[in-house]
Amino acid sequence: MSRADSRPSRRAFVRATGAVAATGLAAGCETPAARPGRPPSAPPGTGVTPTGRHQAGITLPQPAQSNLLAVVADLDEAAAPGPLLADLGNLVRTLTAGADPRLLGLPPGDLTVTIGVGPRLVRTAGAALPGAADLPGYSREEMARQARGGDLLLQICAGDALLLPVVASALLAQAGDRVRERWRQSGQRGPVTTVGHGVSAPRNLLGFVDGIVGPHTTAERRRHLWLSGPAPVAGGTIAVVRRMEIDLPRFAALSVADQEAALGRRRATAAPLSGGTAASDPDLGAKTPDGRYLVPADSHVRRANPRAVGVGLMLRRSYSIDQPAPGLLFISFQNDLRTFTRTLAHMEGSDALLRYTTTTAGATFLVLPGFDEQLPLGARLFA
């Protein structure tokens, strides 16, 4: 049996995954600090409203909750997506309000549920719509058939890990026989570190601070994160979800200098190897006196740099995992799938960090625009 065939039962509670959070390949972060042009954060100690122009669980709350459970499922061919999504959206409102008995008395706290639909469903609404393209295959993948693709993404995040399987159970019960689960993955993030300019980031599974680069301001998010159209998808975004195992013993056997060369940043301070602070942009042209790049040619910072690739920014909301093996549940949000595909294509041949990873599950989803009591989830796309 492939490693990707293994998944916990629906009733299994989330395992604790250690104090470190999302890994080097892409741990994303949001910051609680305010700065000019930044969107507002959710007030501390309160719930996160599930309604509005955008779904919660992407840019709010800030910082991201410490626990996540992602469930990927397929829609039965006889089931209509519109009514299902409307039912799920209504349930999300009652769950986050603490008004559903299926919470079993647990307070919802900062619970968010973010729902996306896969390319097959998007194509039924329009083959040219954002989100209609499948995620291509890449090297260093070992995926079982059911671990590639999917029709439905349920991303459940909360500070309280006990909520995750309870909420997943309620959502799947509401869907009933209209959906069939493919796989699920739980994960955890650790505390974040302030790196400057109103940006904070967690230390990743490899020991490095990561997630510094991303669309942090309102203007950046308008340009790189949210879909502006067509009308049925405006306010949504495109998600990429990939589960990756990391060979920690092999990476840990490297010297600190070799680890830093693979990442392109100092492990202790997160400063790029070209100099400055953690908040400094890496100087990709800087060289040593003998002509070597200070940020090595095969370093992750260089190979994944959006300026070097020629793409926009992606917002990453990734979580570290310890089952089925130590690694990362990589989750990125962007308004153009090519932001991800071109970045990974640029990394594939020579990113030193990829030598320590194996991807065991992957899919892309159109994260639906926001909803409210008058406009059900998915109503504009699946009328």
Side-chain angles (χ1 to χ4, degrees):
M1 178 180 291
S2 165
R3 286 171 290 182
D5 287 319
S6 175
R7 62 175 173 83
S9 73
R10 290 183 177 181
R11 295 177 178 86
F13 280 86
V14 176
R15 292 172 58 90
T17 59
V20 293
T23 177
L25 250 156
C29 73
E30 295 302 321
T31 171
R35 69 171 179 172
R38 292 195 60 80
S41 301
T46 68
V48 183
T49 179
T51 56
R53 177 168 174 76
H54 314 296
Q55 289 193 64
I58 303 170
T59 60
L60 288 177
Q62 300 177 20
Q65 304 99 313
S66 55
N67 302 288
L68 171 143
L69 174 61
V71 179
V72 176
D74 280 339
L75 183 66
D76 186 90
E77 292 185 1
L84 169 66
L85 293 169
D87 288 349
L88 292 177
N90 288 334
L91 179 57
V92 169
R93 290 194 297 108
T94 61
L95 288 170
T96 54
D100 195 289
R102 285 171 287 191
L103 281 175
L104 304 177
L106 293 173
D110 58 359
L111 170 69
T112 60
V113 179
T114 312
I115 298 177
V117 292
R120 184 183 74 85
L121 295 186
V122 176
R123 288 193 291 268
T124 67
L129 286 170
D134 290 299
L135 190 66
Y138 295 95
S139 63
R140 298 180 178 87
E141 291 183 344
E142 294 182 9
M143 294 188 199
R145 184 178 59 84
Q146 76 267 18
R148 187 184 298 277
D151 289 337
L152 188 69
L153 170 67
L154 305 174
Q155 176 193 281
I156 307 163
C157 297
D160 182 0
L162 293 179
L163 277 168
L164 306 187
V166 172
V167 170
S169 176
L171 292 164
L172 292 170
Q174 187 73 28
D177 59 8
R178 292 177 289 182
V179 304
R180 181 181 70 258
E181 183 174 334
R182 277 177 173 257
W183 59 277
R184 64 170 60 192
Q185 183 65 56
S186 61
Q188 188 178 64
R189 292 166 61 96
V192 297
T193 300
T194 300
V195 296
H197 300 318
V199 175
S200 58
R203 226 167 246 285
N204 61 42
L205 199 62
L206 302 176
F208 285 76
V209 175
D210 195 34
I212 296 168
V213 178
H216 297 302
T217 69
T218 300
E220 288 171 341
R221 291 172 180 173
R222 187 181 302 115
R223 180 179 178 186
H224 300 288
L225 174 62
W226 304 120
L227 290 164
S228 59
V233 302
T237 186
I238 305 297
V240 172
V241 180
R242 281 163 61 89
R243 183 177 64 199
M244 290 178 283
E245 296 181 1
I246 297 177
D247 191 339
L248 286 178
R250 195 157 65 93
F251 186 84
L254 299 174
S255 67
V256 173
D258 285 344
Q259 292 175 8
E260 292 177 339
L263 269 294
R265 290 186 180 273
R266 299 295 179 194
R267 192 173 71 178
T269 66
L273 297 184
S274 54
T277 68
S280 301
D281 290 333
D283 183 352
L284 301 183
K287 295 183 178 181
T288 63
D290 61 356
R292 291 179 294 108
Y293 284 117
L294 289 175
V295 179
D298 64 350
S299 68
H300 179 64
V301 161
R302 179 182 293 274
R303 301 306 299 177
N305 186 278
R307 288 184 286 111
V309 180
V311 296
L313 301 172
M314 62 178 76
L315 187 152
R316 293 160 293 175
R317 191 182 175 99
S318 303
Y319 284 72
S320 64
I321 63 176
D322 70 348
Q323 292 292 333
L328 168 75
L329 186 66
F330 168 91
I331 305 174
S332 71
F333 300 95
Q334 51 273 301
N335 59 15
D336 189 336
L337 183 61
R338 292 173 295 183
T339 297
F340 173 82
T341 57
R342 290 178 178 175
T343 299
L344 194 52
H346 196 251
M347 294 164 55
E348 277 251 285
S350 60
D351 189 317
L353 190 55
L354 290 187
R355 301 167 192 162
Y356 305 93
T357 70
T358 302
T359 300
T360 60
T364 182
F365 300 92
L366 166 66
V367 176
L368 296 161
F371 63 100
D372 55 32
E373 293 184 43
Q374 287 72 43
L375 183 69
L377 179 69
R380 289 182 290 176
L381 190 62
F382 301 105

